């Protein structure tokens, strides 16, 4: 089932998501619905708060063929390499806006999969960027928060205009 994506400005995106203590059919269904929603919107990453659910789940698939999905429960960045990358990123909650953001180039992430198993993966490049972006959503952080004030203000102005004309 395709879910509705919440856009920037909705206060839900500014609430922290809660830790998952038990996996259930509800969480399995939610995870697959999030993947379906992400694919339908041509996204490469989606976090549960973006569909209005304040739980620590994110789904990622940077493959073009929709064949490399990763579902992460309670993801946590445990190690970073101090090298940074500065590249454009977008967000399904901010359609049409893309900005360069500084992120760690290489990270190690701990999470739980849908079978309840603890996983640890080391990632670099685009997938590492997407993971940092999605984990930020779980902590109520949005990529525009990293921009200089003047740049963020321009984006907010554009969004206010879009809201006014009913296009947000
Ligand atoms: C996060 O974002 C990400 O504006 C995932 O019109 C993306 O999947 C982190 C999307 C890139 C790092 C680099 C955005 C789709 C998808 C849009 C997305 C749009 C349609 C964003
Ligand atoms: Co996002």
């Amino acid at each position: 089932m395709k879910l509705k994506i919440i856009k920037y400005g909705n206060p839900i995106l500014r609430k922290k998501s809660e830790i998952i203590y038990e996996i259930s059919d509800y969480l399995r269904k939610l995870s697959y619905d999030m993947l379906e929603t992400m694919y339908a919107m041509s996204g490469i990453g989606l976090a549960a708060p973006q569909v209005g659910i304040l739980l620590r789940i994110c789904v990622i698939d940077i493959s073009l063929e929709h064949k490399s999905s990763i579902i992460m429960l309670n993801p946590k960045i445990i190690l970073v390499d101090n090298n940074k990358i500065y590249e454009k990123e977008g967000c399904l909650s901010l359609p049409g806006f893309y900005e360069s953001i500084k992120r760690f180039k290489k990270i190690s992430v701990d999470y739980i999969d849908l079978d309840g198993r603890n996983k640890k993966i080391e990632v670099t490049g685009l997938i590492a960027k997407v993971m940092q972006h999605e984990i930020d959503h779980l902590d109520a952080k949005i990529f525009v928060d990293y921009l200089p004030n003047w740049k963020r203000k321009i984006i907010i102005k554009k969004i206010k205009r879009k809201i006014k004309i009913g296009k947000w």
Side-chain angles (χ1 to χ4, degrees):
M1 189 182 80
K2 206 187 149 215
L3 308 170
K4 194 179 126 83
I5 294 182
I6 281 173
K7 291 202 184 76
Y8 184 86
N10 187 315
I12 292 176
L13 293 176
R14 291 308 190 179
K15 291 182 194 278
K16 276 201 162 213
S17 290
E18 309 216 13
I19 295 169
I20 291 158
Y21 290 102
E22 194 168 27
I23 296 161
S24 60
D25 284 344
Y26 166 74
L27 292 184
R28 272 183 273 274
K29 166 89 161 71
L30 172 62
S31 302
Y32 291 121
D33 285 346
M34 284 172 59
L35 268 180
E36 182 185 342
T37 306
M38 180 185 80
Y39 288 142
M41 306 300 287
S42 302
I44 54 175
L46 183 69
Q50 292 180 277
V51 294
I53 309 287
L54 292 169
L55 290 173
R56 303 187 79 83
I57 307 177
C58 44
V59 299
I60 293 172
D61 190 348
I62 62 160
S63 75
L64 298 173
E65 323 81 28
H66 300 180
K67 280 252 142 73
S68 308
S69 63
I70 304 175
I71 295 167
M72 312 175 102
L73 311 183
N74 300 339
K76 188 172 163 44
I77 296 169
I78 50 166
L79 219 141
V80 301
D81 172 324
N82 265 323
N83 289 318
K84 305 287 197 313
I85 39 176
Y86 184 68
E87 284 171 358
K88 284 249 153 111
E89 49 188 83
C91 180
L92 286 169
S93 295
L94 277 128
F97 293 95
Y98 306 89
E99 295 292 338
S100 286
I101 302 292
K102 225 195 248 178
R103 299 281 190 187
F104 297 110
K105 188 185 173 74
K106 181 173 171 181
I107 55 172
S108 183
V109 182
D110 263 5
Y111 65 96
I112 299 166
D113 69 12
L114 279 182
D115 298 315
R117 281 191 263 267
N118 287 299
K119 302 271 187 174
K120 188 201 289 280
I121 49 169
E122 198 176 272
V123 288
T124 54
L126 178 60
I127 189 163
K129 266 163 54 73
V130 178
M131 283 182 187
Q132 288 167 79
H133 177 115
E134 302 311 330
I135 293 169
D136 270 353
H137 277 300
L138 306 181
D139 294 317
K141 207 158 170 70
I142 302 173
F143 80 90
V144 294
D145 300 348
Y146 295 102
L147 297 172
N149 285 334
W150 67 269
K151 237 183 204 178
R152 188 176 49 257
K153 278 181 187 150
I154 291 169
I155 291 172
I156 292 168
K157 225 176 191 172
K158 286 181 179 167
I159 291 171
K160 282 194 172 141
R161 175 87 195 126
K162 284 176 186 281
I163 291 169
K164 207 169 179 181
I165 61 174
K167 292 203 162 146
W168 192 255

